[in-house]
Amino acid sequence: MGCFINWRGKQKTVDSYQLKEVKQFATFVKKEFLHVLRDRRTLFILIGMPIAQILIFGFALTNEIKNTRIAIIDHAKDNASRHLIGRIAASNYFRIQEDIMDEDRLETAFQTSDIKLALVFPANFEDNLSRQHHAQVQVIADASDPNSATTLTNYISAIIRDYQVELSGQMPLPYQITPQIRMLYNPQLRGAPNFVPGVIALVLMLVSVMMTAISIVKEKETGTMEVLLVSPFKPVWVILSKTVPYLLLSLVNVLSIVLMSVFVLQVPVEGNWLLLFAESALFIITCLTLGIFISIKTKTQQVAMLVSLMGMLLPTVMFSGFMFPIENMPVLLQWISNIVPAKWFYSIVKSIMIKGVGIEGVWKETAILCGITLILFVVSLKSFKIRLE
Amino acid sequence: MTCTETVISTEKLTKQFGDFVATNEITFEVYKGEIFGFLGANGAGKTTAMRMLCGLSRPTSGKATVAGFDVYRQTEQIKQHIGYMSQKFSLYEDLTVQENIRFFGGIYGLDNRQLRSKSDALIERLGLEFQAKKRVGDLPLGWKQKLAFSVALLHEPNVLFLDEPTGGVDPVTRRQFWAMIYEAAGRGITMFVTTHYMDEAEYCNRISIMVDGRIEALGTPALLKAQLNEQSMDGVFYQLARKAKNSG
Amino acid sequence: MDCLKSACTGKFGFETAIEMVTLSNITKTYNKGVVKAVTDVSFTVEAGELFGLIGPDGAGKSSIFRILATLLRADSGQATVAGYDVVSGYRHIRNQVGYMPGRFSLYQDLTVEENIRFFATVFNTTVAKNYHLIEDIYVQLEPFKKRRAGKLSGGMKQKLALCCALIHKPTVLFLDEPTTGVDPVSRKELWEILRQLKKQGITVVVSTPYMDEAAICDRIALIQHGKILSIDSPEGIISTYPGVLYAVKAADMPRVNQVLATHEPPFTGYIFGEYIHVDSQGAASRDAATDLRNVLTKAGLRDIEVKPITPTIEDCFIKMLTT
C-alpha cells in the first residue's frame, strides 16, 4: 500500500490552495446567481413583493384612520366641550355623525357599524375642569376590532391631552408624557412610520430565511448535494455560497423599501442611512443563519417552507410589535418575544428611521441581535453533516 | 390469436412543439388482446405519442382513436377506458396496499361492494394477504410493480399503457410480470408496452420502433429481424436507432 | 494515473495488483435496523479494473456506493477507497473519486456547458486540463452545449453526468446505475466509454440492473437482498453454472410453455427472448435435449428447435435466485 504515499505527497502551498478556494467559492456564487436569475418568476416576486407590501400597508392604513365616524353626545354644551369638539372635527381622522345626539341611539349605531367611536361629555364638564382640575369624558369604542379600537382611542386621547396641555398653559405635566411616546415622534399619528420597519423585517424574513432554506434543501432533494459532498470543496462553503445572492437581494429589498417609504409615503429617515443599512445587514445575516439552520434540519422543500412560514414568519408578525403591541401581551408571551430576532430589529429600525437615534441609542438591541446570530451560527455548525444521514 | 378488432388506430398523428416535431405523422393500428411493443430511443417521441393516446396532450394534426374514442374530442371517455402504469409513478407509497386498491378503484367509480370484493380478490391472487395492511413503500419493488399492474386493471380497461413497467426489476420477477401481461392479454385487454429490455421486445406480438418522431419499423419480431437481417431484436433496434439525429 | 503506475512499478514491480476498493463485512440498515439494506458484504476491486455490481433495484447497490463515496456510514465493517478508510479518510477520498449517483444529479436549470464548468471548478480543475478524458463524450454533447440540462434526453443526461464525474480525472469512478432508463443504443455507447476509461487506467465501479451489461465488466458481483450471491469474472460465473441449459423454440410458444410446465416431472424453464430456456436438471434422463424434443413432438408442436446454449449472466442470476 506504500505507493499511495506518493499521491498524497503532492502538497500544495498554502497560498495557492487558498487562492483556489476563493476561486471555487466565486464559481459557486456565480452558479447561485444563475439559479436565481433563471427562475424569473420567483425573482420578480421577490423584488416586487416589498414594493407591493409598502403600497398596500401605506394606503390601506391611512385611509382607515382618516374617515372614522364618531358620535359625540355633549351633555355639558359649555365652552370647554365645544372647544374640544372643534378640535376633533378639525382633525382629519374623525368625522362627527351629527345626527346622533343621545345615548339611546348609540347602541344601534355601533351595531350597524355607523360609528366606531363615541365620546360622551358629562354635564358640568368645564366646571369640573376649572374648579377641581379634573374632569371626565367617556370614550366608547367598538372593540370588535381591538387593534383599530386601540388606535382610535389613542388618537382621541391624544387630542384631549393636547387640549389639556394647552389649557394648563406652559405648565409641564410629566406624568402624561410616558403613554405619549409613539405620537411624540409621529406627530401626524400616521401608521406608516410604524409599519415600514415591520415590512422590512417581514420581507427580510421571507427572502433570507425561506429562500435560503429552500434553495439549500432543493439541492438535497434533487440529489446534487450528494455530488457536491463527494467533492474536495468544503461542505460548509457549499452552504455559505448559497447565502450570497439572497444577502444581496435582501439589501436591494431594504433599499427599495426605504426609498419607497421616503419618496412615496413621505416617511423620512431621521437617523443615519449607513447605520440603518449596517443594522439591516446584521439582521439579514441573522436571517441567513436561521435559513441555513432550517435547511440543515429539513429534508424537503415543502417542510423547509412550512417551517419558515410557521416557525419564523408567524412569530415575526406576532411578536415583533409592529402588528400587536407587546406590552399588552401576557408575561409569558412577552418573554417569548425576546427570542424573536425581528422584535429587536424592529425596535432598532424604528429608532433609527423615526427617532433619528444613533448607535448609542440602539447598541443594546444590536448586541442582543449579534448574540442571537452567534448562537444560531454555532448551533448550525454543530448540526451540520458532512454525510447524507 | 384473432386480431381483427381495432382498439388503437392513428393516422398521420403529429405533435409539434414550436419548430420541433416530437411525433411526426405516425400511423399504426393495435388490435384487441394484442401485446404491442412501442420501442424507441430516449427522445424519439414515445412519451409524446403515449400522452396523446391517453388523452393528456392534444395532437397538432392527424387522427387517432383509442377504444373507439377520438383523442381530440373524447378525452374523458378515453380515460375511462384505458389504464396506465409507469415505473416512475404508480401507487402511493405512504398508503397501504388495501388503501391504494380502494383509492384507485374509487377513482374509476367502483362502488363499495365492488371495491371490497375486488380488492380482496386481488390481494388473494397476488398472495399479499399478510401485506394488505402494509404500506406500499415497504414492499419490494417486484411486488410493487405487480400490485400496480393489477390496480391499473381494476376497472377493466380496454387498453393498458405500460411505460417501462419492468425497469430495475429482478429477472425472475420480470418474467412473472410478463406472465401477468400475457394473462391479461388473453382476457382481451390490449397491452401497449414500452421497454428498454430487448428480450422483452420478443415477448410482444408486434412491435414498432420510433426514430426521430417517426415509426421506422412495424411488425412481428420475426418479421423485423428478417427484414433487417439481424439475429436479435437488439441488433434490429441498434441498426434503426443509430440513424437518429435529434438524440439530444 | 501515470504517477500511480510509476510509483508502483518502483515499489512492487510490474504486475502487482493494488486493491483500490475494499469492503469487509459491511452491513448497513435503515430505520434503526428494521430495513436491512446491505448484509455482511465483502469484496475488493483492483486498480484499473472495471467492476460491476449487478442486481435489481433495492438489492443494496446504492447503499454500497454511498458508503464507498463517504456519504453514508456503515453500521459495521470496514471499507477503504484508494487506501483511505471511508470514515476517517473521507476528505482524501473526496479529493480523488468521481461519483455519479443513481438519479440524475446535475443542475437542470443550468446549461450543459455551465454544468461542466461548474463541476470542473468544484474539483479544482479546468475543462481544458482533462479534455482528453471527456473528449469522446463531450463531442456528442457539444451540439447541445447551450441547452439546459433538464431538457436533455435520458441518454444525454447520463453522458453529461459522466462528463461531470470525470472532469477531475478521478482515480476511482463510482457509477451508480448509469444506464437505468437509458435506451439500448445509448447504453452501448455509455459502456463503450467506460471501456475507454478503463484503458486510461481509471478504476471503474459500476452498478446496473441490466444483466446483459455484466459481460462487459472484468469482474462482477451479483447482489440480491443486500447479499452477494457470487463474485467472479463473467466467464467464471457462467462456467460455474450447474448442468446444461437448453434453448427451446417451436411454432406456438405459449403452448410450449404450457407443455413444459405441465409435464411430469416438470421442466424448469422460463421465457428468454424468443426462446424458452430449460434447465437440464429438471430432465428425467441424461439426454435432456432428446427428452425435450420428444415431449414437444408428442404434444403435437411443429418447428421444434432444441439446442444446448452457454448460459448468460441473467440465466446464472435466475438460477441463483431460484435455488
Side-chain angles (χ1 to χ4, degrees):
Chain A
M1 206 56 81
C3 64
F4 293 108
I5 294 158
N6 281 17
W7 318 347
R8 286 183 211 170
K10 277 204 250 164
Q11 278 292 330
K12 299 162 194 131
T13 64
V14 177
D15 283 330
S16 82
Y17 189 71
Q18 279 175 343
L19 199 72
K20 263 182 185 155
E21 283 218 337
V22 171
K23 204 186 145 201
Q24 280 181 325
F25 189 72
T27 311
F28 256 96
V29 172
K30 188 184 146 198
K31 184 209 81 178
E32 293 313 322
F33 271 105
L34 282 175
H35 287 317
V36 173
L37 293 175
R38 290 278 151 87
D39 192 358
R40 291 279 154 93
R41 210 176 306 161
T42 310
L43 184 65
F44 182 76
I45 292 172
L46 290 182
I47 291 179
M49 177 188 57
I51 297 170
Q53 276 194 356
I54 283 285
L55 291 178
I56 291 166
F57 273 85
F59 292 108
L61 264 172
T62 36
N63 276 345
E64 196 191 351
I65 286 157
K66 271 181 185 156
N67 292 317
T68 308
R69 281 175 298 229
I70 185 170
I72 296 177
I73 298 159
D74 187 1
H75 295 300
K77 290 204 169 62
D78 49 30
N79 265 337
S81 72
R82 265 195 293 271
H83 255 279
L84 204 47
I85 292 170
R87 275 164 180 271
I88 292 167
S91 83
N92 283 327
Y93 312 115
F94 301 104
R95 214 172 64 216
I96 298 171
Q97 294 297 99
E98 308 279 358
D99 52 330
I100 303 166
M101 306 293 283
D102 53 77
E103 278 97 338
D104 300 341
R105 285 205 52 201
L106 273 185
E107 185 83 34
T108 34
F110 271 118
Q111 276 168 356
T112 53
S113 289
D114 278 342
I115 54 168
K116 292 275 178 211
L117 205 67
L119 198 62
V120 184
F121 289 97
N124 311 324
F125 180 67
E126 193 175 19
D127 258 18
N128 291 347
L129 202 62
S130 52
R131 291 197 193 142
Q132 301 167 20
H133 292 270
H134 184 86
Q136 281 186 330
V137 274
Q138 194 182 14
V139 179
I140 308 164
D142 175 4
S144 58
D145 178 359
N147 270 324
S148 58
T150 316
T151 318
L152 290 173
T153 47
N154 276 341
Y155 287 1
I156 202 100
S157 0
I159 294 172
I160 295 170
R161 280 192 200 107
D162 269 358
Y163 176 64
Q164 214 174 334
V165 171
E166 199 188 282
L167 275 186
S168 339
Q170 302 305 316
M171 217 179 78
L173 296 166
Y175 54 90
Q176 285 167 347
I177 290 172
T178 352
Q180 273 182 307
I181 286 175
R182 257 162 110 188
M183 291 130 220
L184 276 177
Y185 297 110
N186 180 14
Q188 295 92 22
L189 290 175
R190 293 193 317 172
N194 277 317
F195 74 76
V196 168
V199 169
I200 295 181
L202 259 182
V203 166
L204 291 187
M205 270 285 169
L206 212 64
V207 175
S208 305
V209 180
M210 198 164 90
M211 295 312 292
T212 312
I214 287 176
S215 85
I216 297 173
V217 173
K218 192 176 170 192
E219 298 236 9
K220 284 196 208 175
E221 254 188 351
T222 55
T224 42
M225 193 55 102
E226 220 171 314
V227 182
L228 293 183
L229 282 177
V230 189
S231 81
F233 199 58
K234 285 205 189 79
V236 178
W237 290 110
V238 175
I239 288 194
L240 287 183
S241 70
K242 300 210 74 96
T243 62
V244 177
Y246 297 106
L247 177 78
L248 250 132
L249 204 58
S250 301
L251 281 173
V252 167
N253 278 333
V254 174
L255 184 69
S256 72
I257 292 173
V258 173
L259 287 180
M260 287 283 291
S261 86
V262 171
F263 294 108
V264 181
L265 298 180
Q266 320 281 316
V267 179
V269 177
E270 300 287 348
N272 189 327
W273 281 68
L274 214 65
L275 183 63
L276 180 66
F277 276 93
E279 295 282 359
S280 299
L282 171 64
F283 183 63
I284 292 169
I285 292 168
T286 317
C287 291
L288 293 175
T289 329
L290 251 173
I292 290 173
F293 183 69
I294 293 174
S295 75
I296 288 169
K297 291 290 179 193
T298 56
K299 276 194 177 137
T300 64
Q301 294 183 63
Q302 273 180 347
V303 176
M305 189 149 134
L306 270 177
V307 171
S308 311
L309 280 178
M310 301 304 287
M312 304 298 145
L313 216 60
L314 216 60
T316 302
V317 174
M318 305 267 285
F319 295 123
S320 66
F322 104 93
M323 288 264 190
F324 312 105
I326 295 172
E327 311 90 75
N328 296 355
M329 288 179 187
V331 186
L332 184 71
L333 291 185
Q334 289 193 29
W335 278 26
I336 291 175
S337 78
N338 285 335
I339 58 162
V340 176
K343 176 192 167 174
W344 304 107
F345 177 67
Y346 176 68
S347 142
I348 291 173
V349 174
K350 227 167 62 177
S351 301
I352 298 173
M353 274 192 80
I354 302 160
K355 296 191 212 168
V357 171
I359 183 73
E360 71 284 350
V362 291
W363 68 269
K364 215 172 86 188
E365 286 89 344
T366 310
I368 293 172
L369 215 49
C370 284
I372 294 177
T373 311
L374 201 69
I375 291 169
L376 277 171
F377 192 74
V378 171
V379 173
S380 297
L381 268 188
K382 287 260 179 201
S383 47
F384 185 77
K385 291 186 189 74
I386 49 156
R387 294 190 172 81
L388 285 180
E389 291 145 300
Chain B
M1 188 179 295
T2 48
C3 296
T4 43
E5 195 183 324
T6 307
V7 176
I8 300 174
S9 134
T10 73
E11 198 188 331
K12 295 191 171 176
L13 191 66
T14 302
K15 179 79 187 183
Q16 232 171 312
F17 298 102
D19 292 339
F20 178 65
V21 187
T23 307
N24 195 353
E25 298 197 344
I26 57 170
T27 303
F28 65 93
E29 284 186 336
V30 184
Y31 309 111
K32 183 176 155 68
E34 191 178 24
I35 302 173
F36 188 80
F38 197 59
L39 310 186
N42 301 120
K46 280 178 305 180
T47 312
T48 313
M50 279 228 315
R51 284 204 184 128
M52 286 192 281
L53 295 178
C54 292
L56 298 174
S57 162
R58 196 182 163 85
T60 311
S61 64
K63 284 185 221 159
T65 59
V66 175
F69 300 104
D70 185 77
V71 294
Y72 290 91
R73 293 177 288 107
Q74 294 167 301
T75 52
E76 287 316 307
Q77 286 98 318
I78 288 179
K79 286 173 195 169
Q80 278 293 333
H81 289 85
I82 61 166
Y84 178 79
M85 179 207 155
S86 98
Q87 188 204 348
K88 282 152 208 142
F89 170 78
S90 34
L91 299 170
Y92 290 101
E93 303 252 308
D94 54 346
L95 298 186
T96 66
V97 171
Q98 211 165 36
E99 284 161 351
N100 263 295
I101 297 174
R102 297 210 172 151
F103 171 74
F104 281 102
I107 283 184
Y108 286 104
L110 299 184
D111 63 45
N112 277 338
R113 198 188 310 157
Q114 279 177 309
L115 270 181
R116 208 166 311 133
S117 67
K118 284 212 172 196
S119 84
D120 290 348
L122 203 160
I123 287 169
E124 198 189 315
R125 188 145 41 90
L126 291 175
L128 283 170
E129 289 96 334
F130 297 107
Q131 271 90 14
K133 301 251 187 269
K134 249 193 185 175
R135 287 186 186 190
V136 165
D138 296 337
L139 292 181
L141 178 74
W143 282 112
K144 255 187 247 179
Q145 297 301 81
K146 284 189 218 168
L147 178 63
F149 180 80
S150 311
V151 167
L153 287 177
L154 266 185
H155 62 294
E156 282 154 25
N158 298 29
V159 194
L160 181 59
F161 289 91
L162 297 157
D163 194 2
E164 286 185 48
T166 53
V169 175
D170 75 72
V172 174
T173 314
R174 203 148 67 81
R175 286 172 173 81
Q176 291 168 349
F177 194 90
W178 271 92
M180 293 175 80
I181 294 181
Y182 269 104
E183 194 262 336
R187 279 188 283 144
I189 302 170
T190 305
M191 298 284 138
F192 192 94
V193 195
T194 73
T195 179
H196 285 323
Y197 290 99
M198 281 306 121
D199 58 324
E200 292 186 348
E202 297 274 7
Y203 310 153
C204 300
N205 300 124
R206 282 190 311 142
I207 53 173
S208 76
I209 298 179
M210 273 186 89
V211 180
D212 284 346
R214 293 178 175 279
I215 289 184
E216 283 289 322
L218 180 67
T220 63
L223 178 78
L224 295 189
K225 278 185 283 186
Q227 271 178 356
L228 293 163
N229 201 18
E230 288 281 352
Q231 291 298 307
S232 65
M233 278 316 295
D234 211 27
V236 170
F237 188 87
Y238 201 64
Q239 209 186 100
L240 289 170
R242 227 177 11 192
K243 293 188 242 161
K245 278 173 219 79
N246 54 358
S247 55
Chain C
M1 214 53 199
D2 297 334
C3 104
L4 170 71
K5 273 197 180 138
S6 60
C8 296
T9 329
K11 189 116 183 174
F12 295 103
F14 191 61
E15 280 288 292
T16 315
I18 298 160
E19 290 172 344
M20 190 57 90
V21 176
T22 69
L23 285 92
S24 56
N25 312 106
I26 287 286
T27 296
K28 175 75 193 169
T29 61
Y30 297 107
N31 290 348
K32 292 173 183 150
V34 178
V35 183
K36 292 193 175 74
V38 180
T39 313
D40 201 22
V41 164
S42 308
F43 64 83
T44 58
V45 181
E46 283 159 20
E49 229 183 348
L50 177 52
F51 188 89
L53 214 51
I54 318 287
D57 286 1
K61 303 190 300 290
S62 294
S63 295
I64 293 176
F65 271 88
R66 285 179 170 160
I67 289 167
L68 292 176
T70 75
L71 285 169
L72 283 182
R73 290 172 80 146
D75 295 0
S76 62
Q78 267 95 46
T80 65
V81 174
Y84 299 103
D85 182 81
V86 289
V87 179
S88 60
Y90 79 95
R91 205 168 276 277
H92 296 286
I93 294 174
R94 289 180 185 186
N95 263 307
Q96 47 187 308
V97 302
Y99 169 55
M100 189 173 144
R103 51 186 175 158
F104 182 68
S105 302
L106 299 179
Y107 297 100
Q108 313 250 8
D109 56 341
L110 300 188
T111 66
V112 169
E113 213 176 11
E114 285 163 351
N115 266 299
I116 296 178
R117 286 229 184 105
F118 172 72
F119 282 102
T121 324
V122 168
F123 283 98
N124 274 327
T125 182
T126 58
V127 180
K129 213 185 269 175
N130 291 316
Y131 186 72
H132 63 281
L133 266 180
I134 60 164
E135 190 177 357
D136 290 344
I137 320 170
Y138 193 71
V139 177
Q140 300 174 42
L141 285 167
E142 190 132 36
F144 315 106
K145 66 180 180 186
K146 297 278 179 218
R147 195 180 285 190
R148 294 196 187 173
K151 297 242 154 103
L152 292 175
S153 73
M156 278 295 162
K157 272 185 184 161
Q158 293 305 80
K159 283 175 196 165
L160 175 60
L162 185 55
C163 235
C164 293
L166 266 177
I167 197 76
H168 60 297
K169 198 179 181 186
T171 41
V172 193
L173 194 55
F174 293 112
L175 308 172
D176 193 5
E177 299 204 8
T179 53
T180 292
V182 174
D183 68 72
V185 176
S186 305
R187 247 155 61 193
K188 275 205 175 94
E189 289 168 355
L190 272 164
W191 278 97
E192 186 48 46
I193 293 165
L194 297 190
R195 243 196 303 231
Q196 292 301 321
L197 292 175
K198 179 188 139 65
K199 274 188 193 158
Q200 307 231 28
I202 294 175
T203 309
V204 183
V205 184
V206 58
S207 72
T208 178
Y210 299 100
M211 305 282 154
D212 54 332
E213 293 175 347
I216 307 163
C217 302
D218 295 328
R219 284 194 313 136
I220 55 173
L222 297 182
I223 181 167
Q224 168 76 321
H225 300 319
K227 290 184 191 128
I228 302 268
L229 301 173
S230 175
I231 305 176
D232 205 338
S233 63
E235 302 77 30
I237 285 180
I238 288 165
S239 70
T240 56
Y241 188 90
V244 187
L245 194 68
Y246 294 93
V248 180
K249 194 178 154 183
D252 183 357
M253 288 304 276
R255 177 105 176 87
V256 175
N257 207 358
Q258 199 190 344
V259 168
L260 294 178
T262 50
H263 185 261
E264 221 23 79
F267 290 95
T268 35
Y270 43 86
I271 46 174
F272 202 110
E274 55 182 322
Y275 291 94
I276 287 177
H277 285 186
V278 181
D279 190 45
S280 66
Q281 288 181 322
S285 73
R286 279 220 184 124
D287 189 3
T290 318
D291 268 5
L292 279 165
R293 208 179 288 275
N294 287 341
V295 169
L296 294 176
T297 319
K298 218 181 276 171
L301 285 151
R302 286 177 299 109
D303 304 330
I304 299 165
E305 189 187 336
V306 177
K307 56 181 183 188
I309 51 157
T310 314
T312 64
I313 296 294
E314 185 154 349
D315 291 307
C316 298
F317 199 90
I318 292 173
K319 183 80 185 170
M320 286 175 205
L321 288 189
T322 47
T323 47

